[in-house]
Amino acid sequence: MSGTAPAARWRGPARLVAQRVVLALFTLLLVSAVIFTISGLLPGDAAQELLGQGATSEQIAALRHEMGLDRPAVVRYLEWLRAIIGGDPGMSLVANKPVAEIISERLPNTLTLAALTTLFSVPFAFLVGITSAVTRGRTTDRALNILTLAMVALPEFLVATIAVLVFSVKLLWLPSITIVPQDPTPGEFLRAYAMPVMVLGVGVIAQLGRMIRAAIIAELDRPYVEMARLKGVSQRRLIFRHVLPNAVGPIVNAMALSLSYLFGGAIIVETIFSYPGLASLMVNAVTSRDMPLLQACAMIFCATYLLLVLIADTVAILANPRLRQG
Amino acid sequence: MTAQAQIAPSQTGAAHVEVCNLCVTVRAPDGSALRIVDDVSFAIPRGEVLALIGESGSGKTTIALSLMGYARGGARIEGRIRVGDATLDGTESASLAAQRGNRITYVAQSAAAAFNPSRRVMEQVIEPALIHGTASDAEARRHAVELFEALSLPDPAGIGSRYPHELSGGQLQRLMAAMALITRPDLVIFDEPTTALDVTTQVEVLQAFRKVVRDQGATGVYVSHDLAVVAQMADRILVLNRGRVREQDAVRAVLETPADDYTRTLLAAARPVVKAAVPAPATGSPLLSIEGICAGYGPVDREGRAAHPVLSDVSLHIGRGAAVGVIGESGSGKSTVARVVAGLLAPTAGTVLLDGQPLARSLKDRSREELRRVQIVFQNADIALNPAHSVGEILGRVLRFYEGISGHAARARVAELLDLIRLPAAVATRRCDELSGGQKQRINLARALAAKPDLILCDEVTSALDTVVREAILELLAELRRDLGVAYLFISHDIATVQALCDEIVVLYKGTCVESGPARAYAAPPFHPYTDLLISSVPELRTDWLSDVGRKDPPRLAAPDDGGGLCRFLPRCPVAIAGRCDTASPPLRQLDSGNAVLCHRSQAELAG
Amino acid sequence: MDSLIRAARRLPLSGKLGLGLVVFWIVVAIAGPFVAPYPPGSFVNEEVFAGSSGRFLLGSDFLGRDVLSRLLSGARFTVGLSAIAVAIAASIGTGLALCAAVGPRWLDEILSRSMDTLISIPSKIFALVLVAAFGSSIVLLTLILALTYVPGNFRIARSLAVGLARLDYVEVARARGEGRLYLALVEVLPNMMRPLFADIGLRFVFIVLLLSGLSFLGLGLQPPDADLGSLVRENTSGLAEGALAIIAPAVAIASLTVGVNLLIDAATQGKAE
């Protein structure tokens, strides 16, 4: 097996990854069907709703025809799907602008927020997870356990409220609304993002830190760790050279999971700090029942989640010699 | 070292390893202190191997680990240990802990689990030398390849670049020995290094170990539960029971003139003999017939073959009240036979007949009466008994299910059943996790007996047990057969166990039946070449056995890629005939001893 | 009952704290409205965002209503709806998981495939889509909360059940000829209760957070009904002055969720390590 030529050596993992890609695309297709069914078919008649209670049945029928609501569900789904894939999910019912245009204004903001939060929280999460795992059962671990346990359970709006109270109201350090000026200086940029990133980071650090601890501890219980200790391997070398390479799979999966959690948290955080991102846009779409916009937002979040999981799976495959060699 | 004179036994003045009054305590779940090693003292002169022998819970591994200053799960080590210059509480480099992997090294029981799955073998083998600075990278690699060669590993130059999952258990065990020897240690600890291996692989690994230990003149501690294995490897034996020393002496003295009762019990249990006399089973039409069974796992293709075939064309017959043993190494398909008979796995071809009536292939098409008459008992009572139910519930369910008995009548029957397996009736209210391993296995048997079956399928029912407990269970099985007339299909990897209990033995190799016949015919050749290998690989209770076995003749022929209908044993067969064995399928030969073998060689050739 | 009390005594300090909080909130949810000093909807104080006083222990809200009374009634909604939702989610999720574990292979394939699809819709996004489509009356809201957490419970319960169904004691019962219902309910289910309860507890926390989050966004419970999240939302204007009216309900939610988490953690760790 190990004697195979380099080209052939990658055939195994390539096939595995290709399988994952196909599976992810298939899942995304199913997800789109679920979202369309829930938001496009089940809620009843959009024409009726647009025209209100006073409309005559002729008016409704005319609008239904105009909107294409009188055609079979499958046809409507396929057209919707084609439009979404083509990058043009239609017109926003409320803003009277193409959904694509609205989203392209907002999406970069959310991605920036997510990227900054990831950058901020992942190192802390590793610190928490590794510290906790190596001090397992001792005071440090127990303190971290209770701290992270509490952090996971805090609602974002409580963290945000306290942060605003402390940093904006009492200390007057940071603005309570996140407005990023045009061409910000690094200082302005950091000031603007400090609070939303901190608030989102609290949850991510706690959750990811706990999962990293669990992944490392699962490895620490395996016989090869005892063997390494009996070889005289130092604690540092044990964690970094022996344990972490084997924990890569669960850890990257945990990272994908906490990043998807981050999108959920963004819904609250963007709203509280009046940050013009995709998540607060989606909340507006729900309030105004702007279905095309809502569907597009939902699809973006789901696609991002599946992409993250796909990346995590791929990394896990490449990190595992057994899978890597097919 | 000043305190040494007060405690050290006088005869150990020049000893390389010295242990005085060693105690190890753990904290029990209820908070109390539990002493798992109690006042153990011994000494090992340089270049000798001491065996620590005992059943599970005897503290043998705990003692071995404490020689490295290592205790599992927060246990506390007390007493004095000295290895060379290093002591338990020595400071800096003079402590045992600092010598781990350097002057004192360790070979673990399951190499497959003890190698890091994500790193190449060579990196792991030379790691001790590098972290302790005993050799440069290049030197260590060169030394490793020499050790691979000395340990008779295939492709010594290339094997190091493999990952653990690409290698067999026997190979990994030898690689782990190389890892233990890479720093040229003063003391090597072998912790049940061959227990997880098939008996045929065990011989090769033992031979390799003994060679390197002798070549290197290493001092060793060999931990095992198997007296026969230890007899080959050690100079002295220390017998342990529940953390205490029962006896220590030279190997030959322990084997031939044991001084302690417990040692004698161990020696007796090592070669099980069943005392209950069972009348010869009635002749006539068999109770169960298996004819031409093929079975496997995974999807079945158009020609009716499973994606992962396990059994091909297996036939056997069990008379009323008879005991038929099935032996083979792991992967031979012996457990699959039981699963097919029980209906848990539908065969892809062949029939199972009960009293001449064909049984449906799958469970759901069998009648309740048919199900009742054939019961299955699994190896590991820990997972074969539902921890959520009490013993009474477990047995009572069988009574209610097959006979509709409940309430008072059921309780009376449960008490009867418990009596049958020699357990007090009060056990009925207990949960299984409150019982010992042997008791659990009895309950496991009682559940099958509750159905009043004609046939019990015993799948490795004694393999997870300590030797002494195993002997008691075998005795019980024989008595039940005598008293109830129940028949057994007894599956095991251990030929001694099967010989003790069964009237007939079937040998499976890679899903084919290579030999079958009366148990007594397995006492002496002629055998099928695989049976021969299997029987000659079982270590005997004498010190010169391993030398006598000698090195097996290597396989004669390279097997063609597609074995087709050829003999399955061809790739390993030392007596294969070119032009015959690699071209035609072997015939079934009837031998004078009553055995039938699947081989091209004639009876005279097999006897020689 | 005795054994429960003994188990509670053995809990570490954090677990006792958690248990105390959980019991406290259960009592509040049941008895709260009966001991409330004022009707939750009535305007009883001239001053808005008043601080704590003898008459108004937690002060008054943005309309001059008694915060304590509103908190007591809000807690009933938060705890009650979440408890019902988690019960529904766990019954459906675990029920389907048992079907998947002991049922035919194709059923497992279909169920696992569909649940994997649903689980790739992040739960808050899924809840938003459902709310947009169906609105948020109390009944619908409860169903939405439940539906959102069915896939997660299914996944955990299935992996537990499939693992158990492979064990020899289930195999023995199968060989005996037992039916699938017996295998699922008698052989498998009792052995998954402990980890399952831990999962249900965690999911209860998620549901409380989701419900509060939705209400905080104005998409959850609709006025005049108000849960703890709604109380935070309606008093946001008091944030600048640090009014008790916004702090109290937010801390109330946190003490409930943190309490449940501490309890589960302590209860599961006692057995695991």
Side-chain angles (χ1 to χ4, degrees):
Chain A
M1 272 173 278
S2 70
T4 44
R9 202 136 115 217
W10 292 103
R11 210 168 288 150
R15 204 183 54 226
L16 271 181
V17 172
Q19 274 172 6
R20 300 293 153 102
V21 172
V22 171
L23 188 66
L25 288 175
F26 178 65
T27 308
L28 189 59
L29 186 74
L30 292 177
V31 164
S32 74
V34 171
I35 287 181
F36 184 78
T37 309
I38 294 172
S39 62
L41 297 178
L42 294 180
D45 204 321
Q48 168 89 61
E49 197 166 313
L50 273 178
L51 293 172
Q53 290 296 324
T56 65
S57 54
E58 287 80 29
Q59 284 172 309
I60 293 173
L63 186 63
R64 282 173 61 91
H65 186 69
E66 194 185 319
M67 292 174 75
L69 296 181
D70 51 350
R71 285 170 308 151
V74 178
V75 176
R76 282 162 59 199
Y77 167 64
L78 289 176
E79 273 182 11
W80 174 82
L81 189 63
R82 200 175 57 202
I84 289 260
I85 293 170
D88 175 24
M91 295 289 284
S92 158
L93 298 182
V94 177
N96 235 340
K97 279 204 286 190
V99 167
E101 195 178 304
I102 307 178
I103 286 181
S104 62
E105 284 167 17
R106 297 284 196 112
L107 184 59
N109 291 340
T110 291
L111 290 180
T112 313
L113 183 60
L116 286 174
T117 309
T118 308
L119 230 55
F120 165 73
S121 35
V122 167
F124 278 107
F126 269 92
L127 191 67
V128 168
I130 293 176
T131 314
S132 221
V134 299
T135 60
R136 158 149 71 146
R138 294 206 290 262
T139 318
T140 318
D141 177 37
R142 270 185 271 157
L144 280 174
N145 176 39
I146 291 184
L147 186 69
T148 51
L149 209 54
M151 280 159 71
V152 171
L154 292 183
E156 289 92 1
F157 55 78
L158 174 65
V159 184
T161 310
I162 292 171
V164 167
L165 217 52
V166 173
F167 295 108
S168 308
V169 179
K170 297 279 187 247
L171 298 172
L172 302 173
W173 285 356
L174 297 168
S176 66
I177 290 178
T178 302
I179 304 167
V180 188
Q182 288 281 316
D183 303 318
T185 66
E188 284 171 338
F189 187 79
L190 285 181
R191 243 175 82 79
Y193 276 106
M195 272 220 286
V197 166
M198 257 182 342
V199 172
L200 272 177
V202 166
V204 177
I205 291 171
Q207 198 166 37
L208 184 55
R210 291 183 72 80
M211 289 193 279
I212 290 175
R213 173 187 186 271
I216 294 179
I217 282 184
E219 288 297 318
L220 284 177
D221 285 340
R222 291 177 51 182
Y224 76 81
V225 170
E226 178 170 83
M227 189 64 224
R229 291 212 168 104
L230 292 175
K231 277 157 81 174
V233 170
S234 67
Q235 178 81 345
R236 173 181 294 268
R237 188 181 168 92
L238 182 71
I239 295 291
F240 289 98
R241 298 290 290 276
H242 288 258
V243 168
L244 280 181
N246 285 298
V248 164
I251 288 179
V252 288
N253 262 307
M255 286 172 72
L257 220 63
S258 2
L259 290 177
S260 81
Y261 159 85
L262 194 155
F263 288 123
I267 294 173
I268 306 273
V269 170
E270 288 186 5
T271 309
I272 289 183
F273 294 105
S274 309
Y275 182 74
L278 198 62
S280 55
L281 180 69
M282 189 168 168
V283 174
N284 296 341
V286 175
T287 320
S288 57
R289 294 180 57 89
D290 190 345
M291 289 305 179
L293 184 57
L294 178 79
Q295 291 160 344
C297 290
M299 285 306 294
I300 289 176
F301 281 117
C302 294
T304 315
Y305 172 75
L306 285 170
L307 183 67
L308 287 171
V309 172
L310 182 62
I311 293 172
D313 274 356
T314 309
V315 172
I317 288 171
L318 295 182
N320 183 339
R322 196 184 288 249
L323 295 177
R324 188 161 68 219
Q325 298 180 343
Chain B
M1 293 287 145
T2 46
Q4 186 187 337
Q6 297 158 18
I7 320 169
S10 55
Q11 82 268 19
T12 60
H16 178 54
V17 177
E18 210 177 347
V19 173
C20 296
N21 312 108
L22 174 67
C23 294
V24 181
T25 24
V26 292
R27 198 158 286 284
D30 60 2
S32 64
L34 191 69
R35 197 167 264 201
I36 52 173
V37 172
D38 194 2
D39 195 21
V40 168
S41 302
F42 58 86
I44 315 174
R46 186 173 289 276
E48 276 203 5
V49 176
L50 172 76
L52 301 178
I53 199 147
E55 299 178 291
S56 52
S58 62
K60 54 191 190 299
T61 294
T62 311
I63 295 172
L65 288 174
S66 63
L67 291 175
M68 309 178 84
Y70 185 89
R72 282 180 180 154
R76 213 174 68 234
I77 307 175
E78 289 162 303
R80 294 177 11 80
I81 306 175
R82 182 182 61 77
V83 178
D85 304 332
T87 54
L88 183 59
D89 43 10
T91 48
E92 297 296 320
S93 61
S95 76
L96 292 176
Q99 299 304 325
R100 281 179 205 161
N102 187 2
R103 313 306 319 144
I104 312 171
T105 58
Y106 182 72
V107 178
Q109 169 167 2
S110 167
F115 270 101
N116 188 325
S118 72
R119 305 177 76 208
R120 289 178 199 275
V121 166
M122 178 61 94
E123 286 175 53
Q124 304 190 50
V125 168
I126 62 170
E127 189 176 21
L130 300 187
I131 54 183
H132 297 292
T134 62
S136 72
D137 187 273
E139 280 165 13
R141 279 171 198 274
R142 212 165 33 241
H143 187 197
V145 174
E146 285 166 20
L147 285 169
F148 295 164
E149 209 155 344
L151 287 158
S152 331
L153 279 159
D155 183 21
I159 197 168
S161 63
R162 306 279 193 100
Y163 284 98
H165 72 267
E166 300 173 296
L167 301 163
S168 72
Q171 290 170 341
L172 286 171
Q173 210 67 53
R174 281 179 274 175
L175 287 164
M176 177 151 292
M179 181 159 82
L181 293 167
I182 194 85
T183 54
R184 299 187 167 86
D186 298 331
L187 175 64
V188 186
I189 297 164
F190 294 92
D191 189 357
E192 301 248 18
T194 60
T195 306
L197 303 176
D198 273 319
V199 64
T200 53
T201 318
Q202 173 172 272
V203 181
E204 297 163 18
V205 174
L206 285 178
Q207 280 170 337
F209 280 2
R210 192 161 72 164
K211 178 161 172 290
V212 289
V213 168
R214 290 198 173 156
D215 290 354
Q216 308 248 334
T219 310
V221 168
Y222 198 100
V223 176
S224 180
H225 69 282
D226 189 335
L227 275 164
V229 165
V230 155
Q232 317 310 316
M233 303 301 292
D235 301 298
R236 293 175 65 81
I237 291 182
L238 182 87
V239 181
L240 289 158
N241 179 229
R242 299 180 183 207
R244 285 176 167 274
V245 178
R246 301 302 295 247
E247 171 164 12
Q248 55 175 320
D249 210 335
V251 171
R252 200 178 290 272
V254 172
L255 295 186
E256 289 166 9
T257 51
D260 186 81
D261 282 345
Y262 178 71
T263 313
R264 277 193 284 273
T265 319
L266 272 186
L267 281 166
R271 289 289 164 268
V273 184
V274 168
K275 290 182 223 68
V278 181
T283 45
S285 66
L287 173 67
L288 184 93
S289 294
I290 301 173
E291 279 164 13
I293 288 289
C294 297
Y297 297 90
V300 178
D301 68 10
R302 209 170 304 149
E303 283 144 47
R305 270 195 308 250
H308 306 284
V310 177
L311 297 178
S312 63
D313 196 20
V314 170
S315 302
L316 62 85
H317 305 277
I318 304 175
R320 207 166 283 283
V324 173
V326 177
I327 63 167
E329 54 197 13
S330 51
S332 61
K334 52 193 190 302
S335 294
T336 308
V337 175
R339 293 176 59 82
V340 167
V341 175
L344 288 167
L345 180 71
T348 51
T351 48
V352 179
L353 301 164
L354 184 64
D355 262 342
Q357 297 300 311
L359 284 177
R361 292 179 173 215
S362 79
L363 273 174
K364 61 175 192 295
D365 302 323
R366 295 189 182 178
S367 74
R368 196 166 280 205
E369 180 60 11
E370 286 170 338
L371 293 170
R372 183 191 64 75
R373 297 179 62 191
V374 180
Q375 293 287 312
I376 188 164
V377 180
F378 286 114
Q379 166 177 7
N380 188 345
D382 286 325
I383 53 170
L385 299 173
N386 194 328
H389 302 161
S390 71
V391 170
E393 284 166 346
I394 288 172
L395 301 180
R397 174 64 193 177
V398 181
L399 302 174
R400 189 159 71 242
F401 186 79
Y402 289 124
E403 299 179 65
I405 302 176
S406 59
H408 187 71
R411 276 193 296 281
R413 274 289 302 281
V414 167
E416 245 172 68
L417 282 165
L418 289 173
D419 186 50
L420 206 54
I421 55 161
R422 319 271 183 275
L423 286 181
V427 166
T429 57
R430 307 265 286 276
R431 266 170 217 285
C432 299
D433 50 12
E434 301 167 29
L435 303 178
S436 74
Q439 289 174 324
K440 278 189 253 191
Q441 199 57 283
R442 285 165 192 263
I443 301 295
N444 203 4
L445 271 173
R447 174 172 51 193
L449 295 172
K452 294 186 180 165
D454 295 330
L455 172 66
I456 299 181
L457 312 168
C458 299
D459 188 0
E460 299 261 20
V461 290
T462 58
S463 304
L465 304 173
D466 278 320
T467 44
V468 175
V469 182
R470 179 180 71 187
E471 206 193 14
I473 294 283
L474 279 178
E475 194 65 49
L476 175 66
L477 283 167
E479 286 168 12
L480 291 171
R481 185 177 153 214
R482 182 192 61 200
D483 300 344
L484 306 174
V486 60
Y488 297 129
L489 178 66
F490 189 87
I491 291 158
S492 176
H493 66 278
D494 179 19
I495 193 156
T497 312
V498 173
Q499 276 173 318
L501 185 74
C502 299
D503 320 312
E504 274 184 62
I505 299 176
V506 172
V507 183
L508 276 191
Y509 182 76
K510 290 203 171 168
T512 53
C513 171
V514 295
E515 177 157 6
S516 62
R520 60 186 140 63
Y522 289 84
F527 299 133
H528 185 277
Y530 174 65
T531 314
D532 187 39
L533 176 66
L534 205 58
I535 291 177
S536 65
S537 298
V538 179
E540 290 171 23
L541 271 175
R542 53 191 174 92
T543 51
D544 44 4
W545 171 78
L546 192 61
S547 319
D548 291 355
V549 175
R551 193 156 283 282
K552 286 278 159 198
D553 294 331
R556 287 231 185 142
L557 300 173
D561 282 343
D562 177 26
L566 298 181
C567 174
R568 295 293 185 103
F569 189 56
L570 176 60
R572 286 171 68 186
C573 186
V575 295
I577 309 162
R580 190 128 56 100
C581 293
D582 52 0
T583 52
S585 26
L588 188 66
R589 272 178 212 281
Q590 199 63 46
L591 306 181
D592 295 341
S593 62
N595 277 14
V597 299
L598 203 62
C599 190
H600 284 288
R601 291 278 183 180
S602 69
Q603 170 160 337
E605 287 170 318
L606 290 173
Chain C
M1 196 63 211
D2 263 7
S3 64
L4 273 182
I5 292 171
R6 238 175 300 130
R9 281 231 183 88
R10 269 206 307 274
L11 287 175
L13 190 63
S14 63
K16 287 191 181 119
L17 179 68
L19 181 63
L21 287 169
V22 170
V23 170
F24 172 76
W25 283 113
I26 292 174
V27 171
V28 167
I30 295 168
F34 302 114
V35 299
Y38 306 98
S42 64
F43 310 103
V44 288
N45 194 340
E46 308 271 290
E47 190 189 350
V48 300
F49 293 133
S52 172
S53 66
R55 279 183 62 214
F56 307 101
L57 277 180
L58 292 176
S60 63
D61 74 352
F62 74 117
L63 292 174
R65 293 172 293 192
D66 178 42
V67 172
L68 178 61
S69 305
R70 289 186 67 70
L71 197 94
L72 291 173
S73 101
R76 171 176 274 195
F77 277 113
T78 300
V79 176
L81 291 190
S82 303
I84 295 170
V86 83
I88 297 173
S91 318
I92 299 177
T94 308
L96 292 179
L98 285 173
C99 294
V102 302
R105 217 191 157 78
W106 56 264
L107 183 67
D108 183 23
E109 289 286 328
I110 291 178
L111 284 171
S112 298
R113 197 70 262 145
S114 351
M115 290 298 168
D116 277 354
T117 304
L118 292 182
I119 220 168
S120 24
I121 310 178
S123 50
K124 282 185 179 151
I125 308 292
F126 192 45
L128 284 187
V129 174
L130 287 169
V131 167
F134 303 117
S136 45
S137 71
I138 291 189
V139 174
L140 282 174
L141 195 60
T142 312
L143 289 178
I144 287 171
L145 293 172
L147 193 56
T148 310
Y149 284 103
V150 166
N153 179 265
F154 172 84
R155 188 181 263 197
I156 300 279
R158 180 188 170 274
S159 78
L160 284 170
V162 166
L164 290 170
R166 271 199 221 107
L167 290 185
D168 287 349
Y169 60 78
V170 182
E171 206 72 333
V172 169
R174 210 194 302 272
R176 192 190 306 145
E178 300 282 4
R180 285 184 170 141
L181 195 66
Y182 175 89
L183 294 180
L185 297 182
V186 182
E187 297 287 347
V188 176
L189 187 62
N191 289 300
M192 49 196 275
M193 284 324 253
R194 181 177 282 276
L196 206 56
F197 271 125
D199 179 66
I200 289 171
L202 291 180
R203 253 160 249 291
F204 174 78
V205 169
F206 292 145
I207 289 181
V208 169
L209 291 176
L210 180 60
L211 171 63
S212 315
L214 285 176
S215 293
F216 175 77
L217 295 170
L219 302 171
L221 217 56
Q222 298 302 317
D225 294 329
D227 68 348
L228 296 175
S230 325
L231 296 187
V232 178
R233 173 189 173 79
E234 58 189 28
N235 291 304
T236 20
S237 53
L239 179 56
E241 29 189 310
L244 262 182
I246 179 166
I247 306 287
V251 169
I253 296 168
S255 69
L256 169 63
T257 52
V258 171
V260 175
N261 259 1
L262 288 178
L263 176 61
I264 296 168
D265 182 67
T268 49
Q269 234 161 42
K271 280 285 162 180
E273 284 180 38

